[in-house]
Amino acid sequence: MPFKDKEKAKENKKKNYNPEKRKEYMKKYRLANLARILEYENSWRNKNREKVREKNRNWKKTNPEKVKDDARFYYETNKDKIKTKNREYVVLNRDKVNERARKWNAKNPEKVREKHARWVLANPEKEIESKRKWARENPDRIRNSTIKKYGITIESYKEILSLQKGVCDICGGDNDGKSLLIDHCHKTNKVRGLLCRKCNSGIGMLKDDISLLEKAITYLRKHKK
């Protein structure tokens, strides 16, 4: 008979079950026993870390929008804290961060170009200053990249410079202490020599045309005082 009484008790419980009352009861019980419940939950999580992680992973997979909303909300309410934490991580893990950035840039060249273009539009002055700073710190790399465009090596450049005794092949000037420019034929691309900026611009403006240059000489002689 006791068995039948238990069955009846279960049936009565099901019949009289009220979800709203149950929720209200659980709220009151949790508030009244909050410290004990939290202690138990923390203890259970510590003992079942892998289960908790697996449950969280599954929840994130099934609720991607909620995950994004939560992340967005957390970022908006903790911007300063996140930025400070990120700066500290970068300082302590500079090599890891740089390596990860290099790999990402190699895989996403289009995104890198788009991101850089947006940054340049938003920071034109910083971009100019950045280029100037890089040029000051890397003079040899700039010279090498410029020289390669003309199909010669840095050794060839130095050899020509030595033959010209380090001065412009036309006016004998030193280009205000800056590197001499490579002058080349625009038809054959053959390097002719090293010139200062003014001489290089002058023959360029007259289209490297000997007849025009001769006319310019005749003109200057004609009007010479």
Side-chain angles (χ1 to χ4, degrees):
M1 293 303 291
F3 179 76
K4 287 183 180 179
D5 291 337
K6 279 186 179 181
E7 290 296 324
K8 278 186 179 182
K10 283 183 181 179
E11 286 178 12
N12 290 334
K13 193 175 181 180
K14 283 181 182 179
K15 286 178 184 178
N16 298 323
Y17 180 73
N18 188 321
E20 293 301 323
K21 282 186 178 181
R22 178 68 178 172
K23 282 182 184 179
E24 192 62 32
Y25 170 78
M26 291 304 295
K27 279 182 185 178
K28 288 179 180 179
Y29 179 83
R30 187 173 180 82
L31 286 171
N33 301 273
L34 189 59
R36 188 162 62 87
I37 291 169
L38 290 176
E39 186 181 350
Y40 172 78
E41 287 177 352
N42 289 332
S43 174
W44 188 90
R45 285 195 188 94
N46 290 332
K47 290 177 183 177
N48 299 272
R49 288 182 184 277
E50 196 52 46
K51 284 184 179 180
V52 172
R53 287 184 189 128
E54 185 62 29
K55 184 179 179 182
N56 288 340
R57 281 194 289 267
N58 291 335
W59 187 86
K60 286 178 181 179
K61 285 178 183 177
T62 53
N63 299 274
E65 291 302 321
K66 286 185 178 179
V67 172
K68 286 180 183 178
D69 290 341
D70 288 347
R72 206 174 289 120
F73 176 78
Y74 180 81
Y75 176 77
E76 290 297 329
T77 52
N78 298 273
K79 280 185 180 180
D80 294 335
K81 184 180 176 182
I82 292 168
K83 285 177 182 177
T84 303
K85 190 176 180 180
N86 288 344
R87 278 195 291 269
E88 288 174 357
Y89 178 85
V90 169
V91 170
L92 296 172
N93 301 272
R94 183 75 64 182
D95 293 336
K96 283 184 180 180
V97 172
N98 289 342
E99 183 61 27
R100 195 157 57 233
R102 278 193 289 271
K103 287 180 180 178
W104 189 89
N105 290 345
K107 289 179 181 178
N108 303 274
E110 289 297 325
K111 288 183 179 180
V112 172
R113 280 193 285 271
E114 288 174 9
K115 185 179 179 181
H116 180 67
R118 287 196 300 270
W119 187 86
V120 170
L121 286 172
N123 304 274
E125 292 179 2
K126 286 185 179 180
E127 171 68 2
I128 292 168
E129 183 55 35
S130 175
K131 285 183 177 179
R132 285 175 181 165
K133 184 182 176 183
W134 191 90
R136 287 194 300 270
E137 294 174 354
N138 301 273
D140 292 333
R141 288 180 68 179
I142 292 173
R143 194 176 294 117
N144 286 343
S145 63
T146 305
I147 287 168
K148 283 178 183 177
K149 290 195 294 186
Y150 300 100
I152 63 172
T153 62
I154 186 69
E155 288 75 19
S156 302
Y157 178 90
K158 288 178 179 178
E159 188 178 342
I160 298 169
L161 188 66
S162 178
L163 289 171
Q164 294 181 196
K165 298 181 180 179
V167 295
C168 172
D169 208 21
I170 293 177
C171 71
D174 65 351
N175 198 32
D176 298 326
K178 296 177 182 177
S179 299
L180 293 173
L181 306 177
I182 297 172
D183 175 49
H184 71 291
C185 176
H186 291 279
K187 290 181 181 179
T188 63
N189 285 326
K190 184 179 178 181
V191 173
R192 294 185 292 216
L194 306 178
L195 304 177
C196 69
R197 188 172 297 280
K198 290 177 182 178
C199 291
N200 189 55
S201 299
I203 62 174
M205 290 291 184
L206 292 171
K207 303 176 183 178
D208 295 1
D209 190 325
I210 294 172
S211 63
L212 273 176
L213 287 164
E214 287 174 343
K215 287 177 182 178
I217 293 167
T218 302
Y219 171 82
L220 289 172
R221 281 177 179 162
K222 179 182 174 182
H223 294 280
K224 187 178 180 181
K225 290 181 181 181

